[in-house]
Amino acid sequence: MNAMGGDTFVRHRAGILFLALSVCFGQNRVDLTKSALNGDARSQLSLGELYLAEDNYPEALRFYRLAAAQQLPEAECALGNMYRFGQGVNPDYKEAVRWYRLAAAKGFPEAQFNLGVMYDNGQGVTQDYIEAVRWYRVTAEQGMADGEYNLGIMYANGKGVTQDYKEAMRWYRLAAEQRNMPEAEFNLGVMYDNGQGVAQDYQEAAHWYKRAADQGHSEAQFNLGLMYANGQGVARDYRESFRWYRLAAEQGKPEAASNLGVMYANGLGVTKDYVEGLKWLTVAVSQGDKDSAEVRDKVVARMTAPQVEKAKHMAAAWKPCQGKPDCDARVKQ
């Protein structure tokens, strides 16, 4: 079986937070537009968000600019997003940073977080982990789960701060408990699994992996499959191991596809099926898992030519599932 070794931490989200729609749906567009054109900044912001939701970027940009001209921080942050992602304008990180700064100076948390991301990734500014940490901390101390999580990442990797697994654990836990954030839950599982910043505890590791896995996190699903296969933190259960590997494999995780192939070939947690075994081992190899090639060849040696041909066709036709409902539906088949 493959294993997850080393510091397997999920990297922070490089994406920028979008503002949630705040338009009042009890107010029709005509009234909203009239109010916006009469200079009401909140109506301008709401109309911009409505157009953004419809992918009408030129109109969204127009009304965000009107609201930003009145120094509304939500609109300034929204303009930063549009320049960051090239929505209605050419991508321009420096301009994105300029708008984020204006909103951040007014204490707008999403803009402060986004500034941290820009410094973290060196987008529109010189990469500066210390500055990234500063902005993540500002938002984390306001209770923003994304800021808490990213601050945990910085402590775990020793970027912008001295590496400190205990601090990483603290921030991950705050993010995970405040919001069901699978990345934070997975990282907590990894740290309990490896005994980083906390005493090694497989039962706690399995608990956090399960929380993330239930939300469709493929790495957590794979690690949970490993724990059921090895009886770590849970009773050994090949059927459960098979189920979690399958969920991860259907999302395109090659290590899971490899282990799934091994389980089919050996009848562990599932009826022995060389065709299915070869299919998944072939998928794993095609995804770059070179270690699966030797196992694949051994399985081929036990099969007839028609069986091998069928497995190859099945592997070629397979595509990763799209979204949690699709993945769950495949596994229930």
Side-chain angles (χ1 to χ4, degrees):
M1 296 284 182
N2 294 326
M4 298 283 284
D7 295 350
T8 315
F9 298 112
V10 174
R11 191 70 183 108
H12 63 87
R13 298 172 179 177
I16 306 300
L17 292 182
F18 281 104
L19 295 175
L21 287 176
S22 63
V23 66
C24 176
F25 291 104
Q27 184 179 19
N28 65 47
R29 189 182 298 232
V30 173
D31 290 342
L32 190 63
T33 302
K34 183 179 178 180
S35 180
L37 293 177
N38 283 335
D40 182 73
R42 286 287 165 187
S43 296
Q44 292 164 348
L45 173 68
S46 293
L47 200 56
E49 290 172 345
L50 185 58
Y51 279 120
L52 182 65
E54 296 172 348
D55 294 334
N56 187 339
Y57 299 137
E59 284 298 291
L61 193 68
R62 173 193 173 198
F63 284 99
Y64 283 149
R65 284 193 188 283
L66 287 171
Q70 299 190 63
Q71 300 186 18
L72 197 65
E74 296 94 323
E76 293 168 340
C77 184
L79 282 173
N81 288 341
M82 296 193 80
Y83 277 104
R84 167 70 172 84
F85 293 109
Q87 295 171 317
V89 291
N90 291 325
D92 187 332
Y93 292 147
K94 287 186 177 180
E95 189 66 5
V97 167
R98 185 174 78 83
W99 285 109
Y100 289 148
R101 282 194 197 284
L102 288 170
K106 298 178 178 71
F108 192 58
E110 284 81 359
Q112 294 168 336
F113 172 79
N114 290 351
L115 266 181
V117 172
M118 302 300 272
Y119 274 110
D120 202 344
N121 295 327
Q123 294 174 322
V125 290
T126 301
Q127 190 172 51
D128 187 332
Y129 293 131
I130 293 176
E131 271 297 289
V133 166
R134 183 169 79 87
W135 287 110
Y136 289 154
R137 193 182 302 280
V138 165
T139 56
E141 290 176 350
Q142 295 178 71
M144 180 185 283
D146 295 273
E148 293 165 347
Y149 172 70
N150 281 15
L151 191 55
I153 286 287
M154 304 302 272
Y155 273 109
N157 292 300
K159 291 190 173 181
V161 289
T162 302
Q163 188 176 54
D164 187 331
Y165 289 136
K166 286 186 178 179
E167 272 296 285
M169 283 282 293
R170 182 168 78 88
W171 290 109
Y172 288 153
R173 193 181 299 279
L174 284 169
E177 291 178 349
Q178 178 176 326
R179 191 174 87 206
N180 289 328
M181 184 185 286
E183 297 89 347
E185 292 162 349
F186 171 74
N187 284 3
L188 281 169
V190 169
M191 298 189 83
Y192 274 111
D193 204 347
N194 295 335
Q196 293 169 310
V198 68
Q200 190 174 54
D201 187 329
Y202 291 134
Q203 191 170 350
E204 274 294 298
H207 164 74
W208 289 106
Y209 288 151
K210 177 69 162 51
R211 282 183 53 161
D214 282 339
Q215 297 176 70
H217 192 288
S218 64
E219 295 278 357
Q221 291 168 342
F222 174 71
N223 280 14
L224 195 55
L226 280 177
M227 301 198 85
Y228 273 110
N230 297 320
Q232 291 179 314
V234 291
R236 176 173 285 174
D237 187 332
Y238 288 129
R239 287 176 65 86
E240 274 296 287
S241 177
F242 174 86
R243 184 169 76 89
W244 290 111
Y245 284 152
R246 174 81 187 275
L247 282 164
E250 290 287 7
Q251 291 194 68
K253 183 162 180 60
E255 297 91 341
S258 176
N259 287 5
L260 198 59
V262 170
M263 296 191 84
Y264 268 118
N266 291 286
L268 293 173
V270 67
T271 302
K272 183 180 290 189
D273 188 330
Y274 288 140
V275 173
E276 280 288 334
L278 179 56
K279 166 196 164 182
W280 286 109
L281 287 164
T282 302
V283 166
V285 173
S286 72
Q287 294 173 331
D289 188 26
K290 297 178 181 179
D291 293 340
S292 297
E294 184 178 349
V295 181
R296 176 201 59 190
D297 294 343
K298 289 179 179 179
V299 173
V300 168
R302 305 175 191 174
M303 300 170 65
T304 65
Q307 286 178 321
V308 172
E309 194 64 22
K310 181 180 179 181
K312 288 182 178 179
H313 282 300
M314 290 167 63
W318 176 85
K319 301 293 181 186
C321 57
Q322 300 298 313
K324 189 174 184 299
D326 180 29
C327 299
D328 290 344
R330 290 192 192 186
V331 175
K332 288 179 181 178
Q333 291 175 356

